[in-house]
Amino acid sequence: MEKTLDTKFTYTEKSDTRSGFGDGLLEAGRKNPNVVGLCADLIGSLKMGAFQKEFPERFFQVGIAEANMMGLAAGMSINGKIPFTGTFANFSTGRVYDQIRQSIAYSEKNVKICASHAGLTLGEDGATHQILEDLGMMKMLPNMTVINPCDYNQTKAATMAIADYHGPVYLRFGRPKWPIFTPADQKFEIGKAWKMIEGKDVTIFATGHLVWEAVVAEAMLREEGINAEVINIHTIKPLDTEAILESVAKTGCCVTAEEHQYNGGLGDSVAQTLVRNNPAPQEFIGVDDSFGESGKPMELLDKYGLDANNIVKAAKKAISRK
Amino acid sequence: MEKLSTEQLKKTASQVRRDIVRMVHDVQSGHPGASLGCTEFFVALYFNQLNHNKDFSIEGKGEDLFFLSNGHISPVWYSVLARSGYFNIDELKTFRKINSRLQGHPATEEGLPGIRIASGSLGQGLSVAIGAAQAKKIDGDDGVVYALMGDGEQQEGQIWEAAMYAPHHKVDNLIATIDFNGQQIDGPTDAVMNLKDLKAKWEAFGWEVIDTLKGNDMESVVSSLEYARTLLGKGKPVLNLLHTDMGYGVDFMVGTHKWHGVAPNDEQLKDALGQLEETLGDY
């Protein structure tokens, strides 16, 4: 963020969304004795240590065995437990897709699949760990709710909210320290889009880490006399189609921004909503049919065209197509 | 629930076998072989061993729970559930037909009482059973959790993840059974993918392993299930290697993988029912 930029949201500190998950899980565990945690040898990475320490009898180290973890969680939920599984997003989805499909989604089990280190901003570990397909896989599963919060506070709020919601949930978050720009006392409403900035020329629908990039992009556009609306789509499924259609009816075009493949992600969901109801120009910010690579998070967002500068370009292009 | 005597169990087993061949014949689809092979186990479990409540609740608090991992043998489970009073026996006629609660492989979406999770994609059921057993422990619920797996299913890697986990976490309120019939779709397990010494493998993982050599003999099955319960609560999960004959009870189906997933024709049904002490006109 440039110092001179007049963003409508500001931040004074950064923290990782995974820490929001860890702290949210601890709070949820204090509130509800049925909350249990399972982790596949990544307690530190998922920030589940505090929960483990406070509730050792409700925490299960599974070892490097993600398929078994999904089955265990499904089994625990049958007796009324609310299991939160923790591992990297790649191993939370692609590695165990069939286990999730049969034992959790089809069986409508109250399991919360909590997935860290998603997307390019994982950084140096490279493509084997930077999954960019997880939102697509999870949103295709019937019964599955898919949530991708934007900062520490929203991730913490989302983690607590899904403990109170009955049904299978995929919760996606990440590794890098990221601006904390949403309020600590926010109410997290599953399936309800959050209009963060009003505008009339173009709508930017963003999810996850890219909501901050969208906030920065809005300020850059405003300096050029373009008024962008920024909507935080923290819930990919169920999608708040009403909010999407209402905004695009006003602005006439949109950009979708996500740390995911174009294919199968937020952009696809928004496009489908628009095509079915009110077709409008849409530009996609996301990874274009490619794996990631090693690098620093911001270098990767730049190289793959996912940062604020690229959102600005896409917004102008969308406006030109009206 | 009232325990049936051995004689009553045997009669029930014959009735269950008739249900199996009728169900599969009726829709010309389904898996009769291992269903017939596991009939004594299911009948002994549901009518003699399991502390369960036919007023079904998904959570099953205070009850014993059963999970079927090899979901393709749904006919035997559906028959036993219906005959235990979970749902009307007439509903067996809807097996694998459109709009039925009796899906080809067990499902919870359809809301059939007695079923707590979907199965059919192999390798997942033991993990689920372990999770349910651990949840009971957290709650101080002394119900026992049972699971049944196939022997071919032992080729799935997830089984061994679960096998490693349960002894490590001292899940000693769990009795897992392997239907050890030596057959799978493509042929004998020895030929398709040799399992070698299953008993030694499970023991090496830290399980208390018992062999039930006569898995189609009702007295033997009942006594092995009773014995398995005496081994609980000692820090180890229990594995029951149940030696069965696939297709048991129908001579032309016995001991071959060819009846794994094939339905009898009209003539074969008549023959099978004749062998199964046919006394009733319908289900």
Side-chain angles (χ1 to χ4, degrees):
Chain A
M1 172 181 144
E2 293 168 36
K3 276 180 187 156
T4 53
L5 212 53
D6 172 28
T7 55
K8 302 241 172 177
F9 285 78
T10 54
Y11 69 92
T12 52
E13 64 172 314
K14 291 184 174 184
S15 183
D16 40 9
T17 47
R18 61 180 168 151
S19 287
F21 162 69
D23 293 345
L25 179 63
L26 182 62
E27 287 298 309
R30 286 173 176 161
K31 219 174 118 192
N32 189 335
N34 281 323
V35 168
V36 297
L38 300 95
C39 190
D41 193 34
L42 288 168
I43 294 168
S45 298
L46 271 285
K47 305 292 183 189
M48 296 175 95
F51 182 92
Q52 180 193 29
K53 200 174 165 197
E54 192 160 323
F55 305 109
E57 74 289 358
R58 288 198 261 142
F59 185 82
F60 302 92
Q61 170 62 270
V62 178
I64 308 165
E66 296 81 9
N68 186 40
M69 179 166 70
M70 294 304 163
L72 293 169
M76 289 180 188
S77 77
I78 289 166
N79 298 61
K81 300 296 161 210
I82 308 170
F84 283 66
T85 68
T87 182
F88 291 162
N90 189 27
F91 315 136
S92 291
T93 56
R95 187 178 189 91
V96 290
Y97 189 80
D98 186 44
Q99 282 77 11
I100 294 174
R101 182 176 181 273
Q102 172 173 289
S103 292
I104 297 175
Y106 182 42
S107 297
E108 299 174 286
K109 292 297 174 242
N110 193 22
V111 173
K112 317 304 171 186
I113 301 160
C114 304
S116 185
H117 294 52
L120 288 175
T121 54
L122 165 57
E124 291 84 347
D125 275 340
T128 56
H129 288 51
Q130 292 163 344
I131 195 160
L132 297 165
E133 312 93 70
D134 55 327
L135 295 176
M137 280 189 279
M138 291 298 108
K139 86 177 189 190
M140 279 200 293
L141 285 171
N143 298 330
M144 186 64 77
T145 291
V146 181
I147 296 174
N148 186 29
C150 67
D151 69 353
Y152 168 91
N153 282 339
Q154 192 167 68
T155 309
K156 185 176 175 186
T159 304
M160 292 165 70
I162 62 174
D164 293 335
Y165 164 83
H166 190 89
V169 174
Y170 179 67
L171 179 69
R172 181 204 216 218
F173 42 90
R175 184 174 190 274
K177 300 270 189 208
W178 210 247
I180 303 177
F181 60 102
T182 70
D185 62 352
Q186 67 188 280
K187 185 169 182 241
F188 190 88
E189 285 187 79
I190 296 168
K192 191 84 182 158
W194 176 15
K195 188 187 292 183
M196 301 186 74
I197 302 172
E198 289 265 6
K200 59 178 174 50
D201 299 327
V202 58
T203 309
I204 304 168
F205 296 111
T207 189
H209 292 134
L210 292 202
V211 177
W212 174 251
E213 294 301 306
V215 167
V216 173
E218 186 277 337
M220 293 161 71
L221 286 163
R222 190 155 22 92
E223 288 194 337
E224 297 186 48
I226 296 168
N227 284 312
E229 183 147 294
V230 175
I231 297 187
N232 177 346
I233 309 281
H234 51 67
T235 306
I236 309 288
K237 185 187 169 191
L239 191 66
D240 190 345
T241 54
E242 200 179 319
I244 288 165
L245 290 169
E246 188 188 296
S247 179
V248 174
K250 177 177 66 174
T251 62
C253 66
C254 70
V255 175
T256 49
E258 61 196 310
E259 210 181 333
H260 190 269
Q261 298 271 354
Y262 291 172
N263 290 327
L266 171 66
D268 264 9
S269 291
V270 170
Q272 200 176 132
T273 301
L274 295 177
V275 166
R276 284 179 161 174
N277 296 280
N278 183 18
Q282 176 182 348
E283 292 296 321
F284 294 74
I285 291 292
V287 173
D288 184 7
D289 196 28
S290 162
F291 291 103
E293 66 181 76
S294 294
K296 295 197 181 307
M298 290 314 296
E299 292 172 348
L300 290 164
L301 288 190
D302 174 39
K303 175 166 179 177
Y304 287 83
L306 271 59
D307 63 0
N309 290 318
N310 283 285
I311 296 174
V312 166
K313 279 185 222 159
K316 289 179 185 169
K317 192 171 172 197
I319 291 168
S320 75
R321 288 173 54 206
K322 276 204 249 186
Chain B
M1 110 168 246
E2 200 190 333
K3 286 189 176 194
L4 295 191
S5 69
T6 308
E7 275 317 300
Q8 290 170 312
L9 291 173
K10 285 180 180 173
K11 278 188 181 164
T12 305
S14 288
Q15 182 63 70
V16 167
R17 287 197 160 94
R18 291 196 290 272
D19 291 344
I20 293 167
V21 291
R22 278 198 175 107
M23 287 163 77
V24 175
H25 167 264
D26 195 22
V27 67
Q28 283 296 296
S29 167
H31 298 80
S35 293
L36 293 167
C38 285
T39 298
E40 277 75 18
F41 170 79
F42 273 88
V43 170
L45 186 69
Y46 271 81
F47 293 94
N48 187 271
Q49 287 292 303
L50 211 59
N51 168 29
H52 62 125
N53 187 351
K54 67 179 183 179
D55 295 327
F56 177 70
S57 79
I58 197 96
E59 294 188 350
K61 301 255 188 216
E63 292 183 61
D64 296 342
L65 304 182
F66 170 72
F67 294 100
L68 176 65
S69 189
N70 45 330
H72 58 276
I73 67 167
S74 55
V76 61
W77 198 16
Y78 292 151
S79 166
V80 166
L81 285 174
R83 295 198 176 274
S84 303
Y86 281 90
F87 54 86
N88 199 303
I89 289 161
D90 269 357
E91 200 168 342
L92 295 178
K93 293 173 183 166
T94 71
F95 174 61
R96 285 187 170 235
K97 293 176 185 167
I98 194 137
N99 298 325
S100 173
R101 297 196 294 178
L102 279 63
Q103 291 290 295
H105 294 80
T108 51
E109 262 214 345
E110 317 301 329
L112 190 68
I115 295 180
R116 294 186 166 86
I117 196 157
S119 58
S121 174
L122 295 173
Q124 302 185 31
L126 182 59
S127 302
V128 173
I130 294 168
Q134 286 199 293
K136 281 196 176 289
K137 277 179 170 276
I138 297 172
D139 290 345
D141 179 335
D142 59 8
V144 174
V145 177
Y146 290 84
L148 179 67
M149 303 173 267
D151 53 357
E153 189 176 7
Q154 304 303 301
Q155 291 155 6
E156 293 279 8
Q158 186 181 348
I159 297 280
W160 302 99
E161 295 183 3
M164 196 182 302
Y165 179 93
H168 179 88
H169 285 273
K170 298 188 168 49
V171 183
D172 59 1
N173 54 344
L174 172 73
I175 301 171
T177 295
I178 296 174
D179 176 20
F180 199 23
N181 62 27
Q183 306 289 335
Q184 57 191 110
I185 295 182
D186 277 353
T189 49
D190 287 357
V192 175
M193 185 52 61
N194 201 323
L195 304 167
K196 298 288 186 181
D197 191 344
L198 271 186
K199 188 167 194 277
K201 285 178 178 170
W202 284 86
E203 280 174 345
F205 276 86
W207 290 64
E208 189 70 55
V209 182
I210 59 174
D211 263 310
T212 306
L213 295 175
K214 296 179 180 175
N216 295 114
D217 176 78
M218 193 60 84
E219 284 92 342
S220 172
V221 173
V222 168
S223 65
S224 81
L225 286 174
E226 278 171 358
Y227 177 60
R229 281 185 92 107
T230 69
L231 299 173
L232 296 173
K234 296 176 182 171
K236 285 183 167 190
V238 176
L239 182 86
N240 183 4
L241 263 180
L242 183 76
H243 298 252
T244 67
D245 285 327
M246 206 176 195
Y248 189 86
V250 178
D251 61 6
F252 57 88
M253 291 188 183
V254 173
T256 169
H257 66 276
K258 288 178 181 143
W259 285 91
H260 170 92
V262 176
N265 62 29
D266 293 352
E267 207 54 37
Q268 289 164 329
L269 174 71
K270 207 173 150 193
D271 185 357
L273 289 174
Q275 294 179 44
L276 293 168
E277 302 160 30
E278 166 71 331
T279 52
L280 304 171
D282 204 345
Y283 279 93

